[in-house]
Amino acid sequence: MLVLNTLGSTGARTLVPLPRSLIQMVTMGALAAAFALALAANPRLRVRPSAFLFLLTLLLVPSVISSAQLGAGAGALFRCARLALFTATLWLLSRWWDGGPGFARHHIRMYFAVLGTVAAGLVASPGAALPDLYGGRLVGALWPLTPPQIGQYAAVITGLTVLLVLGRRTDRGSAAVVVVASLVLLALTHTRTATLGLLAGLALAVGSLVLTSAAARRFFTGTVLCAAVAAVALGSVLRAWFLRGQSQENFTSLTGREKVWDALLAAPRTLTQELFGTGLGDKSFGGLPIDNSWLAVYHEQGLTGVVLVAAMILVLGGVALLRPPSLSRACAIFLIGYCAIASYTEAGLGDAAPYLLHLTVAASLLAAPAAATPHTVPRAPRRVPRRSRASEVT
């Protein structure tokens, strides 16, 4: 339900036209259903202490302060309510955080199901799934998904699946299906951020296992050799894929993002807006997407929000460094590294979005196993010898 809520309501045109109001009704209904299910499963409101969720809860403070001024419209208060319900649901689910890969498995299954709808749309109508409007990049033809979204989901589940294989927590047959299908869809999206995030995140995660896992050492060595051969043999093809037909000037300006960033930083702000932002919005400035998590948070939640989001990343990274080498730690490092790298060209760390779900899974992987409650066995009544009972009577 949380995954469905964070899919969004804007994107490519679908085969069957879906009104945006209907999509928003479905996504918001999914969030309400997620909260209701979590509350039904945890009626006593038992939660685990979590610095990550505490900081995420504190992020509501600048969000509400800035949104209450209605500078971003009445929709800002609605987005605050959504973030509050989203955070409350995560608190309820924290009861089941045990440091195991359970939530990572659910993450893979759910996003692979989302990619299944993308693949189905590609098979049903290749023209609609690879439209000229997006430069021939893969989009969602059944549900309105953009190429960066699809690339993000494909990269995240590919990295997690590879790590589960290295940790021998899944069979190679099913893992090969997930990895191959996800990489094909990632290649069709031409998403550079997701590709770089996948490579860098895997390098960090596998590097954390090199000293304790022979499988990780073999994978690291094989990957480096394959990358070297591919760079020599397919250098021109990879360069053409990476440039996506753009000019060198357009590529160096990050597809025009720098112009939006410069205008956002140069805009005049009051002291309140500097500290708390202008209110939760659609992550755009002047009608153009911001496409940077830090600037989006600065614009909507101010410097206070930037400090809190940075603290979330640093807390998770610090806990990951303090944990002993393990599969759960490697998966968490991959998710943290991916989100940190993708935050430079994509927004989503300051609002209910897939990136917060990725970091939540990382937090569940880093949670210490709950201490087992000692099971007390009632003592049997002590038998009194007959002679003693006789002497007591006399």
Side-chain angles (χ1 to χ4, degrees):
M1 295 294 101
L2 292 178
V3 169
L4 178 58
N5 174 254
T6 56
L7 291 182
S9 59
T10 59
R13 295 179 180 178
T14 55
L15 290 176
V16 179
L18 299 174
R20 187 178 179 184
S21 58
L22 175 62
I23 297 176
Q24 290 177 335
M25 186 183 302
V26 171
T27 54
M28 287 307 302
L31 178 59
F35 177 77
L37 289 173
L39 187 61
N42 189 6
R44 296 186 179 181
L45 305 182
R46 295 178 178 176
V47 299
R48 292 200 59 170
S50 171
F52 166 74
L53 290 181
F54 175 72
L55 292 170
L56 181 57
T57 305
L58 286 182
L59 189 61
L60 286 168
V61 176
S63 303
V64 172
I65 292 176
S66 58
S67 299
Q69 300 176 7
L70 299 180
L77 292 176
F78 176 80
R79 292 185 177 93
C80 286
R82 177 193 176 210
L83 179 59
L85 194 61
F86 185 87
T87 305
T89 306
L90 297 182
W91 273 113
L92 291 173
L93 294 178
S94 66
R95 176 187 176 184
W96 290 276
W97 293 2
D98 57 359
F103 279 90
R105 293 178 182 274
H106 296 316
H107 214 54
I108 294 171
R109 293 189 186 105
M110 293 302 101
Y111 279 118
F112 190 68
V114 174
L115 294 181
T117 65
V118 176
L122 177 62
V123 173
S125 178
L130 301 168
D132 295 333
L133 180 63
Y134 285 87
R137 301 170 65 187
L138 181 64
V139 300
L142 299 182
W143 186 276
L145 298 174
T146 61
Q149 284 181 281
I150 300 172
Q152 175 197 161
Y153 306 153
V156 167
I157 68 174
T158 296
L160 290 177
T161 304
V162 168
L163 293 173
L164 289 180
V165 171
L166 293 180
R168 297 180 180 179
R169 296 297 182 90
T170 186
D171 61 283
R172 296 187 177 183
S174 59
V177 173
V178 174
V179 170
V180 172
S182 300
L183 288 179
V184 170
L185 296 180
L186 175 59
L188 291 175
T189 62
H190 289 262
T191 307
R192 294 177 296 223
T193 299
T195 304
L196 292 177
L198 170 62
L199 296 177
L202 270 182
L204 293 173
V206 175
S208 70
L209 293 173
V210 164
L211 297 179
T212 58
S213 172
R217 290 192 291 271
R218 290 193 298 268
F219 177 81
F220 184 81
T221 304
T223 303
V224 171
L225 292 176
C226 291
V229 172
V232 174
L234 303 174
S236 59
V237 176
L238 293 176
R239 185 174 183 275
W241 181 90
F242 205 75
L243 289 176
R244 294 195 317 230
Q246 297 175 340
S247 64
Q248 191 68 26
E249 180 182 357
N250 196 16
F251 175 72
T252 53
S253 66
L254 298 174
T255 320
R257 289 185 176 95
E258 289 187 351
K259 297 179 181 179
V260 181
W261 299 348
D262 293 339
L264 186 150
L265 292 174
R269 296 173 182 273
T270 64
L271 179 60
T272 302
Q273 291 175 340
E274 191 77 19
L275 292 176
F276 303 111
T278 60
L280 292 183
D282 58 356
K283 312 300 177 288
S284 66
F285 180 80
L288 297 174
I290 298 175
D291 286 338
N292 181 290
S293 287
W294 304 103
L295 291 179
V297 171
Y298 169 70
H299 177 60
E300 297 183 353
Q301 292 143 310
L303 293 175
T304 306
V306 172
V307 171
L308 290 173
V309 171
M312 288 192 294
I313 299 288
L314 292 176
V315 164
L316 290 177
V319 173
L321 292 177
L322 295 176
R323 290 282 187 269
S326 65
L327 174 63
S328 295
R329 175 178 180 251
C331 292
I333 289 175
F334 167 76
L335 291 171
I336 298 167
Y338 181 89
C339 291
I341 293 170
S343 66
Y344 184 66
T345 57
E346 293 186 13
L349 286 180
D351 204 348
Y355 287 105
L356 282 186
L357 284 183
H358 302 335
L359 292 179
T360 301
V361 174
S364 73
L365 291 164
L366 295 173
T373 305
H375 181 65
T376 57
V377 180
R379 294 182 179 181
R382 187 170 61 90
R383 297 183 63 184
V384 181
R386 292 183 178 180
R387 294 180 180 179
S388 299
R389 282 185 290 180
S391 61
E392 288 177 3
V393 172
T394 57

